[in-house]
Amino acid sequence: MTEVPPIPVLHLEGGWQVAVEDWKRCSGRLRLRDGGVDAGVHVERCAAGRLRDAYPVGARDVEVQVTDAVADEALTALLRELAEAVQRADPECRRVVYAAPEGDADQVAAAECAGFRRVVDVDLADRQLSLLVVEPDWVTRTDIDLDHVPET
């Protein structure tokens, strides 16, 4: 079993005020405020959380959950800033994951506007979710020279 690294401390930019409500080794709860937005956020290593068995999770994947209802435009801004903060704090993170309720077109659209792409629908014990991810360029970059085997 791969050891799950601790969740990194996130530093948000762009005027967000951040209050830490709870912080543990692999998860944390934050309260974020910016202008008219006041939202609770839960961040967690996917390998230590509710998504650990939902897909082929990487040890450094991070799920971001917005725990309060916010307008779609605010959700987009919040998800964009959270994804950027995770990638700045943990450059080895392969995926920042947002799980929207399956069939919630508004949440999916808000996440897609924030740079997430929909990858799979999953069933958890108590709900169905659509997983959307942001991945860094080094994960999605491909070598189009199919006749060349890259050296390791």
Side-chain angles (χ1 to χ4, degrees):
M1 182 169 153
T2 305
E3 183 174 334
V4 179
I7 195 88
V9 174
L10 303 181
H11 299 283
L12 279 72
E13 298 178 350
W16 289 97
Q17 295 175 338
V18 180
V20 176
E21 294 180 341
D22 184 41
W23 204 260
K24 297 180 178 140
R25 184 176 186 282
C26 293
S27 67
R29 279 195 340 251
L30 307 169
R31 171 69 46 191
L32 304 179
R33 293 179 180 90
D34 180 30
V37 178
D38 182 357
V41 171
H42 181 78
V43 294
E44 183 169 48
R45 288 286 187 198
C46 295
R50 68 182 183 154
L51 299 179
R52 71 181 153 269
D53 297 321
Y55 73 98
V57 64
R60 300 190 85 89
D61 294 359
V62 173
E63 180 186 9
V64 295
Q65 298 176 50
V66 179
T67 58
D68 295 318
V70 296
D72 294 340
E73 301 82 26
L75 180 60
T76 294
L78 188 55
L79 289 175
R80 181 179 294 119
E81 183 55 40
L82 285 166
E84 291 172 0
V86 169
Q87 290 177 324
R88 281 191 304 269
D90 185 0
E92 294 180 45
C93 176
R94 295 183 63 85
R95 286 176 208 92
V96 179
V97 180
Y98 178 70
E102 188 177 44
D104 190 328
D106 292 337
Q107 281 195 39
V108 169
E112 289 175 338
C113 286
F116 285 74
R117 68 179 173 83
R118 186 173 178 172
V119 292
V120 68
D121 292 336
V122 299
D123 292 330
L124 301 185
D126 60 344
R127 68 192 71 180
Q128 292 78 40
L129 301 169
S130 294
L131 300 187
L132 296 99
V133 300
V134 169
E135 297 167 310
D137 290 340
W138 61 266
V139 171
T140 59
R141 187 178 324 126
T142 58
D143 183 356
I144 60 169
D145 184 359
L146 299 178
D147 294 325
H148 175 313
V149 177
E151 295 180 28
T152 56

